[in-house]
Amino acid sequence: SYDVLIVGGGHAGAQAAIALRQSGFDGSVAIVGDEPDPPYERPPLSKDYLAGDKSFERILIRPAAFWAERGISLRLGTRVAAVMPADHAVQTDAGERIGYRHLIWATGGQPRRLTCAGHDLVGVHAVRTRADTDRMIAELPRVGRVIVIGGGYIGLEAAAALVKHGKQVVLLEALDRVLARVAGEPLSRFYEAEHRAHGVDLRLGVAVDCIEGEGGRVASVRLADGERIACDMVIVGIGIIPSVQPLIDAGAAGGNGVAVDGRCRTSLPDVFAIGDCALHANRFAHGAAIRLESVQNANDQATLVAKLLTGADAAYDAVPWFWSNQYDLKLQTVGLSTGHDQAVLRGDPADRSFSVVYLRDGRVIALDCVNATRDYVQGRKLVLEGQVVAPERLADAGTALKDLQP
Ligand code: FAD
């Protein structure tokens, strides 16, 4: 039995353990995680790790020796299959029972799979774990053309990394623009043009009918209009499904994620949930219940729970931020643009350094900054305070954002 049992050894689980020790918590702490490796950073899996620019050691969240030094038990390769809240215990897939005083559920999500014929052929990949990316890298020497399905951040980053490997890349997006779910049109159009300029065959508004194989290995993707595109590898980046079934089975409220209150508490006693799997009301989403899939959210919710468990009180109120690296473009976002009613362009995309400022009811709610770190840093305060700023002033890239505050 542990004072704090953390399920999931990703960004949120790792940070929860780190923050507990930083806050002086001296009870017993264990992380049960189903991956074989100690906690590592996930963002590089579609960026520099996939591109071959960073080794695995360099993406570890802490050096391997850290965990034992801090008295944090790592129980790797172990999956929690059931939660028994009345007993304050979980059961692993090997049938072992582990008791807890407090449970922190930090399991992230599973990549959403295609359901069409051929989705499970050899050579069809998701990008979520080190194992996923290692499998891809191992196949690359035999691969000429790759089809990426999904024009979200992960699909676009994977496309850029594969271009760097010298691969021919076709990117298929079902909607009429990339990043449609997370960004405004100016940003989408900019990234579409960049990918095309780097040789990516980007197709918008296309539906995949099925994936076809030869000798058990992927050979082509067939589109709904009948076109067949030959390929040696398929990468699917169409979102995740939160890994919350054991908690829901145990009676926790939720559905698309496990529902938590402002202190990351689930409806089960002494059970917190944090990170990608936590469905929470977010002030920056106008109070809507959302899941945030970002390192920021994972770390901040983890740190909050560690504070609560060491006697402090606070509620979750962190500004969302995110980044994406593609080619030589560094995108940094702050706030959530969903629900904006105005998007103001600041600077010229042709300069490859510009920002999009999102407004709702006249207030700044988010910024997407491309190679524009100064806007990102200075815009944060505008988002945090929901400042009312005239669009013409925001559009004037000659005036620093910090000078727009009243
Ligand atoms: P995870 O990091 O996914 O960790 C969950 C862990 O729990 C996993 O190891 C999982 O296998 C394990 N697990 C699940 N179920 C069980 C179980 N029943 N028992 C035991 N263990 C279990 N965010 C950014 O902010 N910026 C980026 O640029 C960015 N790029 C990304 C690129 C990629 C390719 C991916 C996949 C994600 C990216 N993200 C990025 C998102 C970010 O990585 C996630 O938001 C973050 O990892 C969430 O942390 P988490 O701990 O909630 O989940």
Side-chain angles (χ1 to χ4, degrees):
S1 183
Y2 295 93
D3 294 313
V4 177
L5 180 63
I6 299 166
V7 183
H11 278 274
Q15 177 60 22
I18 293 167
L20 276 168
R21 290 300 184 230
Q22 277 170 350
S23 306
F25 185 79
D26 62 2
S28 54
V29 178
I31 299 177
V32 178
D34 61 2
E35 291 186 68
D37 297 300
Y40 60 90
E41 294 167 28
R42 235 166 265 289
L45 297 181
S46 53
K47 306 181 182 73
D48 21 12
Y49 185 70
L50 176 59
D53 293 338
K54 249 187 192 175
S55 66
F56 185 67
E57 278 58 45
R58 286 187 56 205
I59 68 170
L60 287 173
I61 288 178
R62 287 290 185 278
F66 170 89
W67 308 98
E69 284 165 13
R70 302 301 151 100
I72 298 162
S73 308
L74 280 191
R75 309 189 49 164
L76 303 174
T78 305
R79 189 169 180 78
V80 167
V83 180
M84 293 84 76
D87 304 343
H88 276 64
V90 302
Q91 186 159 5
T92 70
D93 51 1
E96 190 194 352
R97 209 181 144 91
I98 310 174
Y100 61 80
R101 170 75 189 90
H102 290 281
L103 182 69
I104 303 178
W105 193 262
T107 52
Q110 302 270 317
R112 187 182 295 281
R113 314 259 166 201
L114 292 169
T115 51
C116 64
H119 73 273
D120 51 358
L121 283 163
V122 175
V124 178
H125 301 272
V127 198
R128 183 73 194 179
T129 63
R130 175 201 188 179
D132 291 333
T133 298
D134 283 354
R135 267 191 298 269
M136 261 183 270
I137 291 172
E139 288 180 16
L140 282 181
R142 297 186 281 141
V143 167
R145 188 192 277 157
V146 182
I147 296 183
V148 177
I149 299 177
Y153 285 122
I154 289 178
L156 293 176
E157 290 173 355
L162 290 162
V163 164
K164 197 159 181 198
H165 276 289
K167 306 302 172 191
Q168 238 185 303
V169 180
V170 181
L171 192 139
L172 307 177
E173 166 56 50
L175 300 177
D176 62 359
R177 61 184 177 96
V178 301
L179 301 174
R181 207 171 51 89
V182 289
E185 189 165 344
L187 199 84
S188 302
R189 298 304 178 211
F190 173 77
Y191 276 99
E192 288 162 7
E194 282 293 327
H195 281 274
R196 286 183 168 134
H198 281 88
V200 173
D201 177 1
L202 180 73
R203 318 262 192 110
L204 301 171
V206 291
V208 170
D209 179 53
C210 66
I211 303 177
E212 298 169 318
E214 246 173 57
R217 195 183 158 83
V218 65
S220 61
V221 170
R222 189 194 279 269
L223 304 181
D225 66 5
E227 186 185 355
R228 174 184 284 156
I229 311 172
C231 64
D232 312 298
M233 179 187 273
V234 170
I235 298 177
V236 182
I238 55 171
I240 63 163
I241 298 168
S243 300
V244 294
Q245 205 54 47
L247 272 191
I248 302 293
D249 290 346
N256 172 28
V258 58
V260 297
D261 67 10
R263 289 174 174 73
C264 293
R265 296 178 294 209
T266 70
S267 61
L268 300 175
D270 303 318
V271 180
F272 297 88
I274 57 177
D276 284 12
C277 69
L279 182 70
H280 66 280
N282 194 298
R283 166 155 86 89
F284 297 92
H286 328 293
I290 58 168
R291 292 186 303 100
L292 273 181
E293 296 169 10
S294 71
V295 169
Q296 168 276 315
N297 176 68
N299 283 341
D300 287 341
Q301 289 189 329
T303 304
L304 172 75
V305 170
K307 275 187 191 154
L308 297 173
L309 288 175
T310 49
D313 189 31
Y316 187 59
D317 194 32
V319 193
W321 55 266
F322 188 84
W323 75 94
S324 175
N325 302 333
Q326 299 164 45
Y327 309 111
D328 59 342
L329 301 167
K330 186 178 168 69
L331 169 73
Q332 294 166 291
T333 87
V334 58
L336 299 173
S337 61
T338 318
H340 69 272
D341 51 29
Q342 206 174 353
V344 179
L345 191 58
R346 206 179 133 73
D348 185 354
D351 298 337
R352 307 180 85 246
S353 166
F354 68 100
S355 302
V356 182
V357 186
Y358 299 92
L359 301 163
R360 180 181 162 112
D361 299 330
R363 294 179 184 281
V364 177
I365 59 166
L367 286 93
D368 286 332
C369 308
V370 176
N371 291 342
T373 298
R374 190 147 67 104
D375 278 1
Y376 168 72
V377 171
Q378 297 183 2
R380 187 186 174 86
K381 196 154 178 252
L382 299 178
V383 173
L384 190 61
E385 293 167 2
Q387 287 288 352
V388 175
V389 188
E392 316 78 73
R393 300 189 66 210
L394 291 168
D396 172 16
T399 308
L401 290 177
K402 70 174 163 45
D403 296 330
L404 295 182
Q405 284 154 30

